[in-house]
């Protein structure tokens, strides 16, 4: 794929994904609260939010780090896009199905820590700063189980290439072969996208956390990038655990999209149905529950493959 | 990535980025900026490794550095008692010693570079290099390395089990109220 097509393709698919996340978020929030909006309102609401944010004034704080503040949303969006390029929607529809694709995805996701910390730190304001610190604690607690269950999918494939990991699931999807993998992956992916029960870095108890002082187009960019991150995480979940494009009747890309949207719906539904726990309980949960379970997943999958 | 002028251009661009951001580490006046300029330098080195066809090493370097540098930035901010890390502060100390040791080590390395005899006969590539490289590096000590890896993993799990133990004042969620002094009562 030539560079221009690749950029358009990534931007287009992620843009569509962000729209789907936005609609699903409103739909499932309404369902959880018991007052569902009409379909037309539901489909138009994302555009209304965009228009509102586009017309807002930018907040200015005292002596911020302007460059880092302006570039943090761009970094987050860029990382979501880089992570997405590692995932082939079908064998022919891959932007960077490199031999170490799963490491590329992991490297992009870990750099999210930099984007969120810089976003919180750079506005020179107390609540955003605490939001940045919270993300460091959150990402370190869920990061190792996240990497472990993701890298475990490479064991039966005997390759770090996402394409080979997908084709290794032709007989049996990883969701059945490694039953611990997908639940841990989805929980920790919610953590990396600081969504739902793991929204601590941008939570309401910090008046918006890392985005407290952000408004207007910068806030639009930040929220878009965050949703794009969730889309990339769901797409990788569908490729690594649900066999990505594998499936009967429909073409491969359709299966990829269906599975990704299904995982997005599960994650967003879970986010609206789960209360946000306290930060120290999240850290404990990550280190004492998720990490041992992820290690069990690694050992069992390794033993089964031998 | 392989050959061709685009790879050369990328190689030189990332090299320039590595050097410039490494210099900026010492020019900036904030600990957080210094930490992330250092990370930018490491990311550029990782990208150089990718252009040299060592994708795994390059990407692992980029992967490791994000967490390391964030932790380093937070710890520096904590130890310097500069809560935001945005307050201007000098990033260099002991000017004379630093300049002397910098010039000295540059001269030493340059001498090595100029006068050392480097092998200039590239080995012929026969088939995939990974298996011979692994044999060369580990040879018969594979079992030792594997055992060391498992031992390290056990140490990590043990460390987590130790620190997750209740602290002096109970669990973190129970607040940090000091327990009352216990007076020994003899009966």
């Amino acid at each position: 794929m030539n560079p221009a097509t690749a950029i358009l393709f990534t931007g287009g698919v992620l843009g569509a994904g962000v729209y789907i996340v936005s609609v699903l978020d409103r739909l499932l929030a309404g369902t959880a609260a018991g007052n569902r909006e009409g379909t037309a309102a539901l489909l138009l609401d994302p555009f209304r939010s965009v228009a509102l944010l586009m017309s807002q004034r930018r907040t200015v704080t005292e002596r911020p780090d302007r460059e880092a503040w302006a570039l943090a949303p761009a970094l987050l969006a860029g990382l979501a896009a880089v992570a997405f390029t590692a995932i082939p929607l079908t064998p022919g529809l891959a932007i960077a199905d490199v031999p170490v694709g799963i490491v590329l995805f992991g490297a992009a996701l870990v750099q999210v820590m930099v984007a969120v910390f810089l976003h919180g730190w750079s506005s020179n304001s107390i609540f955003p700063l605490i939001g940045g610190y919270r993300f460091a604690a959150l990402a370190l607690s869920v990061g190792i189980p996240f990497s472990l269950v993701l890298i475990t999918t490479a064991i039966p494939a005997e390759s770090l290439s996402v394409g080979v990991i997908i084709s290794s699931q032709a007989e049996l999807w990883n969701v059945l072969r490694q039953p611990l993998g997908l639940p841990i992956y989805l929980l920790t992916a919610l953590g990396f996208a600081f969504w739902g029960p793991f929204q601590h870095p941008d939570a309401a108890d910090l008046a918006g956390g890392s985005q407290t002082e952000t408004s207007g187009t910068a806030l639009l960019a930040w929220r878009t990038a965050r949703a794009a991150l969730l889309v990339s995480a769901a797409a990788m979940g569908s490729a690594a655990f649900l066999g990505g494009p594998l499936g009967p009747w429909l073409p491969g890309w359709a299966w990829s999209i269906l599975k990704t949207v299904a995982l997005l719906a599960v994650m967003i539904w879970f986010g609206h149905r789960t209360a946000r726990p306290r930060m120290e309980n999240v850290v404990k949960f990550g280190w004492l529950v998720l990490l041992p379970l992820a290690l069990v997943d690694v050992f069992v999958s390794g033993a089964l493959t031998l | 990535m392989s050959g061709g002028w685009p790879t050369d251009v990328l190689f030189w661009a990332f090299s320039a980025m590595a050097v410039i951001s490494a210099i900026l580490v010492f020019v900036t006046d904030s600990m957080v900026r210094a930490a992330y300029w250092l990370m930018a330098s490491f990311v550029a080195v990782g990208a150089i490794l990718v252009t040299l066809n060592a994708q795994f090493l390059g990407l692992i370097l980029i992967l490791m550095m994000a967490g390391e540098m964030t932790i380093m930035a937070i710890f520096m901010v904590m130890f310097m008692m500069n809560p935001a890390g945005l307050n201007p502060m000098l990033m260099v100390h002991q000017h004379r010693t630093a300049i002397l040791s910098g010039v000295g080590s540059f001269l030493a390395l340059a001498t090595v570079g100029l006068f050392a005899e480097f092998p200039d006969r590239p080995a012929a590539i026969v088939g995939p290099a990974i298996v011979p490289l692994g044999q060369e590096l580990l040879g018969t000590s594979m079992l030792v390395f594997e055992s060391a890896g498992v031992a390290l993993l056990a140490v990590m799990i043990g460390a987590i089990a130790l620190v997750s133990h209740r602290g002096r004042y109970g669990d973190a969620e129970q607040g940090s109220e000091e327990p009352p002094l216990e007076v020994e009562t003899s009966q």
Side-chain angles (χ1 to χ4, degrees):
Chain A
M1 206 181 276
N2 74 52
T5 329
I7 291 170
L8 281 177
F9 177 77
T10 312
V13 175
L14 276 182
V18 168
Y19 177 74
I20 292 172
V21 167
S22 188
V23 171
L24 275 177
D25 196 40
R26 275 155 225 265
L27 174 70
L28 295 170
T31 322
N35 57 344
R36 200 175 163 275
E37 289 177 87
T39 311
L42 213 55
L43 294 176
L44 283 177
D45 265 348
F47 298 108
R48 293 201 180 107
S49 298
V50 169
L52 179 69
L53 287 173
M54 297 274 275
S55 60
Q56 261 183 3
R57 278 183 68 162
R58 294 282 290 267
T59 323
V60 186
T61 55
E62 190 187 342
R63 297 196 61 187
D65 185 316
R66 283 175 206 289
E67 294 85 3
W69 201 10
L71 289 176
L75 178 59
L76 192 67
L79 291 173
V82 169
F84 184 78
T85 56
I87 307 158
L89 289 181
T90 68
L93 212 60
I95 295 165
D97 191 12
V98 288
V100 291
I102 209 146
V103 186
L104 175 64
F105 180 84
L109 264 271
V110 172
Q111 292 281 336
V112 167
M113 212 191 289
V114 178
V116 180
F117 186 81
L118 275 180
H119 189 240
W121 169 80
S122 54
S123 58
N124 197 13
S125 169
I126 189 70
F127 284 158
L129 181 70
I130 299 174
Y133 286 164
R134 278 185 176 186
F135 189 74
L138 175 65
L140 289 173
S141 308
V142 300
I144 297 175
F146 177 84
S147 324
L148 280 179
V149 295
L150 195 56
I151 222 77
T152 308
T153 62
I155 296 177
E158 298 181 358
S159 165
L160 293 171
S161 149
V162 186
V164 180
I165 289 175
I166 290 173
S167 52
S168 79
Q169 301 175 64
E171 290 122 42
L172 189 60
W173 291 358
N174 277 335
V175 66
L176 297 173
R177 193 154 41 188
Q178 305 171 352
L180 278 172
L182 187 61
I184 298 178
Y185 177 83
L186 291 183
L187 271 176
T188 49
L190 276 175
F192 263 108
F194 43 111
W195 203 282
F198 300 120
Q199 60 183 238
H200 303 78
D202 280 6
D205 64 336
L206 286 181
S210 87
Q211 49 178 352
T212 305
E213 303 282 2
T214 315
S215 62
T217 45
L219 185 58
L220 175 64
W222 182 250
R223 293 200 174 148
T224 309
R226 211 180 134 193
L229 195 63
L230 199 67
V231 174
S232 291
M236 185 45 124
S238 91
F241 294 99
L242 297 177
L246 302 175
W249 309 305
L250 295 174
W253 56 266
W255 275 116
S256 281
I257 291 172
L258 274 178
K259 289 170 185 172
T260 305
V261 173
L263 286 186
L264 278 177
V266 169
M267 287 201 275
I268 294 171
W269 173 84
F270 183 75
H272 284 300
R273 297 284 172 159
T274 322
R276 174 167 50 85
R278 290 235 303 281
M279 195 66 222
E280 58 257 38
N281 290 340
V282 172
V283 173
K284 272 186 170 178
F285 180 67
W287 286 104
L288 299 178
V289 180
L290 288 183
L291 178 61
L293 284 177
L295 282 172
V296 168
D297 184 47
V298 173
F299 290 144
V300 171
S301 308
L304 288 180
T305 312
L306 279 178
Chain B
M1 215 173 273
S2 57
W5 62 266
T7 313
D8 290 351
V9 171
L10 283 176
F11 177 85
W12 288 110
F14 286 130
S15 307
M17 180 180 152
V19 173
I20 292 171
S21 42
I23 293 171
L24 283 171
V25 172
F26 298 99
V27 173
T28 184
D29 59 357
S30 144
M31 287 177 291
V32 173
R33 277 184 214 128
Y36 283 129
W37 278 125
L38 187 57
M39 195 205 71
S41 186
F42 279 126
V43 167
V45 173
I48 290 174
L49 286 175
V50 173
T51 61
L52 293 177
N53 226 350
Q55 288 117 337
F56 182 75
L57 281 182
L59 288 173
I60 281 288
L61 183 68
I62 296 174
L63 193 153
M64 301 302 288
M65 283 309 149
E68 325 271 295
M69 290 303 150
T70 306
I71 294 169
M72 194 173 89
I74 292 175
F75 268 74
M76 284 198 299
V77 167
M78 286 197 302
F79 283 128
M80 296 284 177
M81 287 184 271
N82 172 1
L86 263 175
N87 297 1
M89 66 177 287
L90 206 59
M91 284 291 119
V92 286
H93 310 282
Q94 295 175 298
H95 283 82
R96 193 162 305 172
T97 326
I99 292 169
L100 282 177
S101 61
V103 171
S105 42
F106 173 77
L107 287 178
L109 286 174
T111 317
V112 171
L114 283 176
F115 293 106
E117 284 195 19
F118 292 105
D120 56 355
R121 291 171 288 111
I125 296 169
V126 188
I130 293 172
V131 173
L133 184 66
Q135 289 287 354
E136 189 70 29
L137 283 175
L138 293 172
T140 51
S141 36
M142 190 67 197
L143 190 64
V144 180
F145 273 87
E146 289 293 315
S147 325
V150 175
L152 275 176
L153 184 64
V155 168
M156 286 194 278
I157 296 171
I160 293 167
L162 281 178
V163 296
S164 66
H165 193 262
R166 285 162 59 89
R168 190 170 160 196
Y169 303 130
D171 278 337
E173 62 195 354
Q174 288 178 348
S176 53
E177 197 185 337
E178 204 172 335
L181 271 177
E182 281 183 40
V183 183
E184 293 260 339
T185 50
S186 55
Q187 286 174 344

